[in-house]
Every structure is written in C-alpha cells, then in structure tokens.
C-alpha cells in the first residue's frame, strides 16, 4: 500500500512539474543577433510543433531553410540548422521570448553572438522614416573597402528587386554570392540581411544625393567593411574560368586523400580512369558550397551511368579531425550524396588549399570546381559559385555547364 501511495505522489509531482513548463509559441518569430552596440542583424523563422517534435524554418526572401533540430529542454532551447556546425542555445524567458547566444563551433576562440527572439513580430526591419522609399536600381557596381590599399578592395555586382518598401537581392563576387538578402528601403536607407546557419550578413547604406549608395557591411562579429555603389546596368566580374589555373611546369591534376571512412582515394584509382571527373573543392562551413552540392548531386544522378564521376575535396576550418569528419558526414547525409567526399585538410580558419594542391596557382574561393575530361586533361577551373539567390546568373551557369558536361561525356 505504501508503494502505491508513493507512486501516486510521484505521479502528482511530475504532473505539476510538466504543467509549469513554458513552451515557445508556434508561428513567426523575429530574431536579432546583437553584433555591436546599436547594430543588430534581424531575421525571421517560423516555428511549428509536430507529432515528432519541433520544426523551425528560417526565412531569407525566397529561401526557406527547414530544420527539425529544434529542441526544448526545461526552460532551455537548442536550435541547429542542417549541416553547419553552429547552434543557438537560449533560455525561454516566456512563451513569446527567447534569449541566449548563437555559437559557430567551426570558428576559433569560442565564437558566439548574443541573440533575442520575439514571437509574433513580422517586420524584419521596422520602419523609422516617414519619407517615401528611394528608388533602388536593379544593377549596381559595388566596391567594398574602397578606402584601403590596392589588393584589399574588391568589386562586386549588386542585383536587387524592389517592390515598394521591400527589397531583395544579392551581391555577386568573384568568390561567390552573398546569399538571399531580404530587407527594406526606409526613406533613403537601405537595410538588407541574411542568416543561413553559417553566414550572418548585414548590409546598411544610405542613398546619396548623387544617386550612389554608401554604407557598412557586417559579417557576424569578425568583419566590418565599408562599401559604396553606383548604378551600372552592364556591371560584370572577371571571367570565373580565368582566375585559377595550373602552374607552369605542371600538366596534370592529382590528389590522394582519405575518405570519411579513412580509406585513401586517388584520382589514379580505377573508379576515375576514362571518366569525366568533376572535382569540387568545398567546406562543410561554406553555404555557397552547399548550393553547388545540390547541383552536383543532380548531375551525378543524371550522368553517372554515362561516365561522370564527382569527388569532393573538403577543407575544414576546425583543427579537430573527428569533428571535421562528423561535419562532412552531416553534409553527406543531409544531401544523400553517393559520390566520395575526401578530407583534404583541417587547420582552423587559416587553411591553405595550395599546400595540398601545389599544382594550382592559388585557390581564392570555396567552392572551386575543376572539370577533367576522359583523358585526364583539365578543361575548366571555375572559381566561386553563383547560387540560386542570384537568379539569372545561376540559371545561366546551370545551362552552360550542364551542356559542357554533356559534351565531355560525348567525347571518346
């Protein structure tokens, strides 16, 4: 009888405890990453509770990044997005408010940014001006760090679409694009942000009387750059196929690295002989690489039977070998990749790909993609990747390079 009574009171206690647990509200949440005093990066996410758990979907314009790794434990919240070794760790203040820190474990020195999330707020950027929104042209030449010595400054192409106060778009650079940006034109102020689980981008600018833009670009808490922009409808970047090439004295591309199971894989293996091979230099921390990986998977499924092989050479920021393998395993599992991913290098944020691939003049971007024909000749080396956030440039890349791969597969 005493055992029954004890179980009754234990059950009652657990029941009382569970009723005191505060669960976050479902619906739209607005989050601010506090980069610096007075400077916050906003983004929104949708939170839903399903029969199997919580689902959080980060929203960047047309981009929707869904994650089932949103966990509530007591008064704490843990939220990871797919693939990246990053995490939100927060406390539920009440059902409509969460506070804590966002951690990027792929970076050194305990990299983290404070955040606050509030339920029910729908405006990414609240309006502060009563003026009509300035007109933002579709295409700009944007120069970053223009006041610095030559070699530090770099030019980009800004492409935007304005609908009243709302603004979306991205910047194309020679190393890749700046993701799906979403924001507003608030009077003469331009405000754009993106958060994808790895990149935390904030662009702020003012439209000047001369029609130019001038402002600041924040990348997390590790980089702040000034930028200016002028309307230039025909703005272009250098040819992405001309930036990386074989050094004089080299006529072939070779590698030998371990796969995620520890087996050494080489381009000289029978698996690659007589095949068209695409070598993808990537990192699990690199969102542009993930965009390209989606396309690589499609091509592999479409053309493998015709003689296409793809192999990823990964350069990981972490110095921890086991962590690097785990991160790459997450990437492989998330996309369902069946081609080899090899761990080429670890070494923190100072990875040097040319140390492992000395036949190349330099590697200035992840991804860098090498196209090799059936005879082992390098036909193209493409620097960077214009992802779906760039619109037409992405569509043109898919068409042009898809045709190029088909032509190589037809050669004997």
């Amino acid at each position: 009888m005493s055992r029954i009574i004890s179980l009754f009171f234990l059950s009652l206690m657990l029941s009382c405890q569970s009723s005191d647990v505060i669960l976050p509200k479902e619906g739209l949440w607005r989050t601010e990453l506090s980069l610096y005093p007075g400077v916050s990066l906003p983004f929104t996410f949708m939170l839903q509770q399903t029969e199997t758990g919580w689902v959080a979907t980060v929203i960047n314009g047309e981009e929707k990044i869904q994650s089932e790794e949103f966990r509530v434990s007591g008064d704490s919240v843990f939220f990871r997005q797919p693939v990246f070794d990053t995490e939100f760790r927060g406390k539920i203040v009440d059902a409509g408010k969460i506070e804590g820190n966002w951690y990027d474990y792929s970076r050194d020195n305990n990299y983290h940014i404070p955040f606050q999330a509030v339920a029910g707020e729908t405006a990414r950027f609240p309006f502060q001006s009563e003026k009509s929104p300035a007109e933002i042209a579709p295409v700009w030449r944007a120069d970053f760090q223009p006041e610095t010595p030559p070699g530090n400054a770099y030019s980009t192409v800004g492409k935007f679409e304005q609908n009243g106060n709302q603004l979306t778009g991205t910047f194309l650079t020679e190393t890749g694009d700046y993701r799906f940006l979403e924001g507003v034109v608030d009077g003469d102020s331009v405000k754009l942000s993106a958060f994808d689980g790895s990149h935390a981008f904030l662009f702020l600018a003012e439209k000047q009387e001369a029609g130019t833009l001038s402002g600041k670009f924040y990348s997390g808490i590790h980089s702040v750059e000034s930028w200016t922009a002028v309307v230039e409808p025909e703005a272009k970047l250098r040819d992405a196929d001309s930036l990386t090439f074989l050094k004089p004295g080299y006529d072939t591309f070779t590698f030998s690295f371990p796969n995620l199971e520890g087996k050494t894989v080489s381009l000289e293996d029978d698996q690659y002989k007589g095949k068209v091979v695409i070598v993808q230099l990537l990192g699990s921390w690199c969102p542009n690489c993930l965009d390209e990986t989606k396309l690589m998977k499609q091509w592999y499924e479409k053309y493998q039977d015709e003689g296409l092989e793809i192999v990823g050479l990964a350069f990981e920021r972490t110095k921890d070998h086991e962590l690097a393998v785990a991160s790459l395993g997450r990437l492989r599992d998330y996309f369902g990749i069946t081609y080899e991913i090899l761990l080429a290098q670890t070494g923190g944020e100072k990875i040097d790909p040319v140390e492992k691939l000395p036949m190349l003049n330099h590697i200035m971007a992840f991804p860098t993609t090498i196209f090799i024909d059936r005879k082992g000749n390098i036909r193209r080396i493409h620097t960077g990747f214009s992802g779906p956030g760039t619109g037409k440039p992405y569509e043109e890349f898919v068409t042009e390079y898809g045709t190029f791969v088909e032509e190589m597969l037809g050669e004997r």
Side-chain angles (χ1 to χ4, degrees):
M1 178 62 71
S2 60
R3 184 170 182 271
I4 294 174
I5 294 173
S6 297
L7 288 173
F8 170 77
F9 280 108
L10 177 61
S11 175
L12 183 62
M13 289 174 61
L14 291 174
S15 175
C16 291
Q17 288 176 3
S18 62
S19 65
D20 293 335
V21 172
I22 301 174
L23 295 179
K25 292 181 179 179
E26 295 187 72
L28 192 66
W29 286 67
R30 180 180 182 272
T31 302
E32 283 192 354
L33 294 171
S34 300
L35 305 184
Y36 302 96
V39 180
S40 295
L41 186 160
F43 68 92
T44 58
F45 69 92
M46 183 67 70
L47 185 60
Q48 297 172 294
Q49 189 173 22
T50 68
E51 293 181 357
T52 58
W54 294 89
V55 176
T57 304
V58 170
I59 303 168
N60 294 302
E62 295 181 8
E63 182 180 44
K64 308 293 188 293
I65 308 171
Q66 181 174 299
S67 172
E68 296 182 0
E69 295 187 70
F70 189 102
R71 182 167 58 89
V72 178
S73 177
D75 64 352
S76 299
V77 164
F78 304 89
F79 173 29
R80 296 187 61 144
Q81 287 186 262
V83 180
F84 303 122
D85 193 19
T86 63
E87 182 181 37
F88 287 93
R89 302 172 69 92
K91 180 179 180 180
I92 303 174
V93 178
D94 57 50
K97 188 175 182 180
I98 301 172
E99 293 179 343
N101 290 286
W102 174 66
Y103 294 86
D104 186 345
Y105 301 123
S106 71
R107 294 187 177 276
D108 298 330
N109 302 318
N110 189 31
Y111 188 98
H112 65 278
I113 302 174
F115 80 89
Q116 181 181 95
V118 178
E121 294 193 10
T122 59
R124 195 181 190 99
F125 289 93
F127 290 105
Q128 297 176 334
S129 173
E130 296 181 358
K131 294 176 61 176
S132 298
E135 292 188 10
I136 303 301
V139 184
W140 299 69
R141 189 192 77 241
D143 297 316
F144 287 74
Q145 304 187 87
E147 75 286 354
T148 60
N152 292 331
Y154 60 99
S155 292
T156 74
V157 177
K159 295 200 171 186
F160 305 108
E161 183 175 335
Q162 183 177 5
N163 183 11
N165 289 96
Q166 304 304 308
L167 189 68
T168 56
T170 194
F171 292 89
L172 287 78
T173 81
E174 291 180 347
T175 61
D177 64 90
Y178 281 166
R179 317 299 300 140
F180 289 84
L181 300 176
E182 179 183 357
V184 298
V185 183
D186 186 5
D188 292 327
S189 298
V190 171
K191 305 173 184 179
L192 291 161
S193 67
F195 178 79
D196 56 22
S198 177
H199 285 156
F201 289 159
L202 175 67
F203 295 85
L204 302 176
E206 294 290 328
K207 189 172 184 182
Q208 309 299 314
E209 289 185 6
T212 61
L213 294 174
S214 178
K216 295 286 187 181
F217 162 46
Y218 301 85
S219 180
I221 56 173
H222 59 276
S223 175
V224 182
E225 300 176 358
S226 59
W227 65 283
T228 60
V230 297
V231 177
E232 192 170 311
E234 302 302 321
K236 292 183 179 180
L237 302 171
R238 291 184 295 173
D239 181 4
D241 288 353
S242 69
L243 305 177
T244 298
F245 48 83
L246 287 176
K247 290 177 183 176
Y250 291 92
D251 56 9
T252 59
F253 180 80
T254 60
F255 61 77
S256 181
F257 300 115
N259 65 11
L260 303 190
E261 289 68 46
K263 176 186 175 183
T264 299
V265 176
S266 168
L267 193 57
E268 306 302 316
D269 293 346
D270 290 342
Q271 178 180 355
Y272 303 109
K273 289 182 179 179
K275 303 287 185 65
V276 171
V277 182
I278 299 176
V279 180
Q280 181 191 21
L281 309 187
L282 76 155
S284 65
W285 46 268
C286 164
N288 294 108
C289 300
L290 269 60
D291 283 341
E292 186 187 58
T293 298
K294 295 176 186 176
L295 179 61
M296 292 294 113
K297 181 192 176 186
Q298 293 172 17
W299 281 355
Y300 195 57
E301 293 174 346
K302 184 176 181 179
Y303 298 120
Q304 183 185 13
D305 291 343
E306 298 180 35
L308 175 67
E309 284 294 338
I310 298 176
V311 58
L313 307 185
F315 294 82
E316 292 299 287
R317 281 179 173 165
T318 177
K319 298 177 182 178
D320 187 318
H321 180 272
E322 292 184 2
L323 182 58
V325 171
S327 296
L328 292 169
R330 281 170 58 89
L331 183 150
R332 180 180 61 184
D333 295 345
Y334 179 72
F335 287 109
I337 297 169
T338 55
Y339 56 80
E340 291 279 18
I341 297 180
L342 314 182
L343 181 54
Q345 189 179 44
T346 59
E349 297 179 36
K350 303 298 182 182
I351 49 179
D352 181 12
V354 175
E355 179 183 313
K356 297 295 184 178
L357 301 171
M359 70 288 299
L360 299 178
N361 65 317
H362 65 188
I363 302 295
M364 58 183 289
F366 290 96
T368 290
T369 313
I370 303 166
F371 296 81
I372 303 173
D373 66 21
R374 293 182 185 273
K375 296 180 180 180
N377 300 313
I378 290 182
R379 299 286 289 274
R380 282 184 171 182
I381 302 179
H382 187 86
T383 295
F385 185 73
S386 295
T390 66
K392 187 176 180 182
Y394 170 73
E395 295 169 1
E396 291 175 344
F397 177 90
V398 173
T399 299
E400 178 185 349
Y401 283 78
T403 300
F404 176 63
V405 169
E406 290 177 351
E407 290 174 351
M408 284 199 298
L409 289 169
E411 297 173 357
R412 297 294 175 179

